[in-house]
Amino acid sequence: MKTFNKVYIEITSVCNLACSFCPQTSRKTKFIQLDEFNHRLDQIKPHTNHIYLHVKGEPLLHPRIDELLDASHAKGFKVNITTNGTLIPKRMSKILGKPALRQMNFSLHSFDGHEGSVDREGYLGNILAFVREAVKHNVIISFRLWNLDQDNVTNEQKKRNRETLEVLEKEFNLDFKIEEKVAPGSGLKIADRIYLNQDYEFQWPSLEAPEDDGKGFCHALRNQAAILVDGTVVPCCLDGEGVINLGNVNSTPFSEIVEGERANNLYDGFSRREAVEELCRKCGYRQRFGA
């Protein structure tokens, strides 16, 4: 039986922002129901103890996020949430102190990625107010600033990043400039249980992208799998449109899906350092793991 470090469970396909780096989904708008969520937890329990409430969509939009966290705890799961952070003031009371919550990932690049963003200080202030309380409950915090480009960021983006980093440096009493300590693709511990990660702008794989030679490795179906909000199982969190549809948990057990022919072909292909799926051959993220 395949076991995973984590399984992504998308709880909504809806987002409250329209960021330049994130293609809008063409999938149907949906929020997961509590009974559906419990059914998915039961199905993945033999395979993992860690779940991420994200693929696409903004998880804090879910009005019953507190009940989803309670259900996760009742079934023995630890939960990571990735959020743009804009809804923290509205949802703080629903997630603070929940024993299932292991880690919060804040995509700070969402602020500049969304054209209508205003009040950077207010945005960061709300997040930091949550962070101060969350660390008291031993929640891990990861700040993400994934907006670098391969040729170095533009002067304008450098300036905007500096404004964000200055707020963090002041909050955590740092005596250095963060960008001088952290390299693209790596993380930096800035306080107890608090980390910052800078990286190049994220590129979602697409069938419209150019195809490479297909050589290389990926951890899809090796340390992770994902279930979209409609129940579609995909091999990783990057297949945000369900292109590599391995099956649906509403009609087929998760355990059967991840051991199905298409899933095993993908897994065995990467064991040979070969991408057998078209989307995988058009995914730049795979190249990070080398040939």
Side-chain angles (χ1 to χ4, degrees), residues 67-113:
E67 296 178 47
L68 301 184
L69 287 169
D70 289 340
S72 300
H73 177 64
K75 295 181 184 294
F77 288 96
K78 288 298 183 181
V79 177
N80 286 30
I81 295 176
T82 298
T83 174
N84 59 46
T86 57
L87 300 174
I88 277 292
K90 295 181 178 180
R91 293 289 188 254
M92 185 183 300
S93 63
K94 285 181 174 283
I95 59 179
L96 265 181
K98 293 296 186 183
L101 185 60
R102 173 186 175 270
Q103 180 169 325
M104 290 287 291
N105 305 314
F106 289 99
S107 298
L108 301 185
H109 48 281
S110 300
F111 183 86
D112 289 321

Side-chain angles (χ1 to χ4, degrees), residues 33-69:
Q33 299 300 308
L34 184 58
D35 59 341
E36 295 176 310
F37 186 73
N38 273 306
H39 181 246
R40 282 165 209 185
L41 294 183
D42 289 338
Q43 292 205 47
I44 69 171
K45 186 58 182 174
H47 301 271
T48 192
N49 290 317
H50 289 84
I51 56 176
Y52 285 54
L53 302 185
H54 185 65
V55 175
K56 279 195 169 179
E58 168 51 53
L60 297 191
L61 272 174
H62 201 292
R64 301 176 72 179
I65 184 72
D66 51 341
E67 296 178 47
L68 301 184
L69 287 169

Side-chain angles (χ1 to χ4, degrees), residues 92-252:
M92 185 183 300
S93 63
K94 285 181 174 283
I95 59 179
L96 265 181
K98 293 296 186 183
L101 185 60
R102 173 186 175 270
Q103 180 169 325
M104 290 287 291
N105 305 314
F106 289 99
S107 298
L108 301 185
H109 48 281
S110 300
F111 183 86
D112 289 321
H114 179 69
E115 188 174 342
S117 295
V118 295
D119 188 13
R120 185 187 307 271
E121 285 196 11
Y123 165 72
L124 294 171
N126 287 330
I127 290 174
L128 291 171
F130 171 85
V131 168
R132 294 182 202 115
E133 295 303 315
V135 293
K136 297 176 184 177
H137 298 279
N138 296 319
V139 176
I140 299 168
I141 303 295
S142 175
F143 296 122
R144 296 175 173 181
L145 205 53
W146 293 358
N147 58 8
L148 307 181
D149 62 47
Q150 298 291 339
D151 301 318
N152 207 352
V153 287
T154 63
N155 288 332
E156 185 61 31
Q157 187 58 59
K158 279 184 179 180
K159 179 182 177 182
R160 292 195 293 264
N161 283 355
R162 180 93 290 273
E163 291 173 1
T164 293
L165 295 174
E166 280 179 357
V167 173
L168 298 180
E169 289 161 3
K170 181 178 180 181
E171 173 70 20
F172 299 106
N173 298 311
L174 303 184
D175 59 0
F176 57 86
K177 289 188 175 182
I178 290 174
E179 63 266 53
E180 295 174 356
K181 295 277 189 177
V182 60
S186 65
L188 175 71
K189 184 176 182 178
I190 58 176
D192 184 38
R193 308 185 73 80
I194 300 176
Y195 302 84
L196 182 133
N197 182 277
Q198 276 202 286
D199 209 339
Y200 298 109
E201 182 173 311
F202 183 75
Q203 298 291 327
W204 286 90
S206 167
L207 291 177
E208 306 303 316
E211 187 169 321
D212 61 24
D213 62 6
K215 301 299 182 184
F217 178 77
C218 181
H219 293 284
L221 291 179
R222 208 167 292 265
N223 73 5
Q224 65 168 278
I227 308 175
L228 302 182
V229 70
D230 68 352
T232 300
V233 177
V234 292
C236 74
C237 63
L238 304 187
D239 187 0
E241 292 303 292
V243 173
I244 307 175
N245 184 341
L246 302 177
N248 193 295
V249 294
N250 295 326
S251 55
T252 308

